[in-house]
Amino acid sequence: LICATIFCPPWRYGRAGYQTAEEAWQIAQEQIACYEQWTAEGLLEKVTKRGELKLEGGKTKYILLLEGADAIREADDVGRLYEQGVRIVGLSWRKNRMAGGTGFPGGISGEGKEVVRAMDRLKMIHDASHLADEAFWELLEMTDGPVMASHSNCRAIVPGDRQLSDEMIKALVEREGVIGMNFYDQFLMRPGDYKKRKCTMEDLLAHVRHICELAGNARHVALGTDMDGGVGRDEIPQEMGCISELYKVGDALSAMGMSDGEVAGIMSGNWMRYLAEHLPD
C-alpha cells in the first residue's frame, strides 16, 4: 500500500510548471488520469475507503495524496477531488496561495482556511509535511480532523524547517498522528556529516529512536520514504539499493532491539491502523 502523490511543480522553483491555479488543476487532473489508466490496466488498485485496505491479490494498492494544494482553484474543488479518490491533502510544498511551506515562513491564508474547512466537512486527512511552522500550528488550532506527516524527520537531529521540531512531534502524537520517515540523506544526516560520507541505516534509526522516545512507544513512527520524489539510490541508506529492499529496515529495527510487534507496526501496521481509523466507511 502506497500514498500515490499528486504533485504540481510551480514554475518559480527552477523547473517547468504551473503559473496559475487553473494550470495546477490541469496538471493534477493529468496525473489522476494516469493513475486511473494504470488502475484500469490492472497494474494498481485504488483505495478510497477502509474496506479496501486489505492487502490481498498481489497488486499494489494506493491512496491519492495531493502534495501542495495550489491545484485547488476554489474550495468546491475539494469535493471534486474527493469524488476522484483523493483522501489526503498537504496545503503547501513550498509557499503557495494556501500556506507557508518549506523555506518560506507563513501561516494559512484565507483561501487555505476555506480548503481546511472543506476538507473537514468531508473528513479528509491533513498532511503536515512541508508546512511552515506558523501554518502547522494554525492547522492544529483550527481543525479537529486527522493530521499526519507523510514524510518528515526530526529537527533535533537535522536542523531546518523541513523537519519536525520536538514540539511538533509531541503535538502529532497527542493527536494520534503517524510520522513517516523520509529516506533522503540530507534529511537524515547531521549537517556535519552530509556529503562527507554515505547515509546509513543507523542515520534512519536515529530518527526512529527519537520519535519513539518522545512518544513513549513505537505507535507513531512509520515509513515515508519519499523514494517516488526523485530520490535515487545514492541518496538513501547505503544498505539499500532500491525499494524492494525495504525489508532491510525491518531487519535493522529488530537488530536494535525492537519487538516483533513494534517492527511490524513501523513497517506497515501503524499506517494501516491510522488509515483504517480515518478513511470513510
Side-chain angles (χ1 to χ4, degrees), residues 6 13 17 21-23 26 28 34 39 54 66 87 92 110 124 180-181 197 200 207 226 249 259 276:
I6 303 165
Y13 296 120
E22 180 61 38
E23 290 175 354
Q26 293 303 323
C34 184
T39 303
K54 295 180 181 178
L66 177 61
R87 293 294 180 267
S92 63
M124 295 175 75
M181 296 291 90
R197 63 172 176 83
T200 69
H207 291 266
D226 209 18
V249 178
S259 69

Side-chain angles (χ1 to χ4, degrees), residues 48-50 72 74-89 114-126 143 145-146 277-281:
T48 61
K49 53 190 177 182
R50 67 187 66 177
I72 297 173
E74 57 184 8
D76 287 347
D77 281 341
V78 174
R80 299 182 181 104
L81 290 169
Y82 185 88
E83 290 175 358
Q84 292 177 307
V86 176
R87 293 294 180 267
I88 308 168
V89 176
E114 289 182 11
V115 168
V116 170
R117 287 190 284 267
M119 289 179 61
D120 284 350
R121 286 192 290 271
L122 294 168
K123 302 186 185 304
M124 295 175 75
I125 300 170
H126 300 278
T143 181
E277 181 177 353
H278 296 298
L279 288 178
D281 291 328

Side-chain angles (χ1 to χ4, degrees), residues 44-63:
L44 299 173
E45 287 187 10
K46 183 164 66 173
V47 171
T48 61
K49 53 190 177 182
R50 67 187 66 177
E52 297 168 340
L53 279 172
K54 295 180 181 178
L55 300 185
E56 55 190 21
K59 293 180 182 176
T60 297
K61 295 195 174 189
Y62 70 97
I63 298 174

Side-chain angles (χ1 to χ4, degrees), residues 15 48 53 60 67 75 91 99 126 166 169 188 216 234 240 248:
R15 63 178 75 183
T48 61
L53 279 172
T60 297
E67 184 174 6
L91 288 177
H126 300 278
D166 285 0
I169 293 169
L188 286 175
D234 293 332
M240 291 178 54
K248 292 183 178 180

